[in-house]
Amino acid sequence: MVSLVVVVLFQCKETPKAIEEDYDWTRIEVTATAYNALEYQTNSEPLITAFGDSLKMDEKCIAVSRDLLKMGLGHNTPVKIEGFEGIYWVKDKMHFRWKKRIDIFMNKDIQAARAWGKKRVFITYGVPNGTKEAH
């Protein structure tokens, strides 16, 4: 029984509390839109990101404008979005024309993406402890 508990504990994903403790968190305001895994919204491979990741339909992830990449929202950065539960991960990047913007992945739920529309929201993103530079 004890060995089963140990095996289960080691197979569990990192808890949000553990994630919280591993990062320094920064809050900024951005414009947030939503996108779907559909060719006409992305390209001929809508589940492949600009970083080369293969998205899963139930994954909580976002694309970020390239100016945000320079601010520390790089590939696989954890992000909390005002109005959403849980932690989202930076898995994609947007076209150069967008500034201070995120695009929330909403699978193939076009109605949810349209209902979200375009909003100004606060996000909080994590930079691994000890790596944050003074701006």
Side-chain angles (χ1 to χ4, degrees):
M1 183 69 166
V2 172
S3 62
L4 177 62
V5 170
V6 170
V7 168
V8 169
L9 287 175
F10 283 108
Q11 290 179 344
C12 290
K13 289 184 177 180
E14 196 171 15
T15 65
K17 183 171 176 127
I19 290 172
E20 298 255 350
E21 294 169 355
D22 291 340
Y23 293 89
D24 291 321
W25 295 88
T26 301
R27 186 172 189 246
I28 61 170
E29 188 176 24
V30 297
T31 299
T33 54
Y35 75 104
N36 304 110
L38 300 168
E39 285 185 30
Y40 77 90
Q41 290 185 23
T42 58
N43 60 26
S44 63
E45 295 189 58
L47 291 174
I48 305 297
T49 73
F51 287 115
D53 292 342
S54 295
L55 298 180
K56 296 174 187 75
M57 294 307 287
D58 61 346
E59 199 164 13
K60 289 185 171 190
C61 60
I62 63 172
V64 297
S65 57
R66 296 184 188 229
D67 59 326
L68 295 179
L69 291 171
K70 295 173 187 170
M71 291 176 61
L73 279 104
H75 185 237
N76 288 325
T77 298
V79 178
K80 294 181 258 181
I81 306 168
E82 177 182 59
F84 288 84
E85 290 193 26
I87 293 181
Y88 283 70
W89 299 90
V90 175
K91 294 289 184 180
D92 205 354
K93 50 190 165 183
M94 301 169 76
H95 191 277
F96 290 102
R97 73 178 171 263
W98 302 117
K99 301 290 181 226
K100 215 162 182 191
R101 189 172 185 141
I102 66 168
D103 212 4
I104 305 164
F105 178 60
M106 293 194 176
N107 309 317
K108 291 189 177 180
D109 192 343
I110 297 168
Q111 290 177 332
R114 285 186 179 150
W116 174 259
K118 176 179 163 183
K119 299 178 184 177
R120 296 287 296 167
V121 297
F122 283 96
I123 63 170
T124 307
Y125 65 95
V127 176
N129 289 334
T131 62
K132 195 172 188 177
E133 294 180 21
H135 293 291

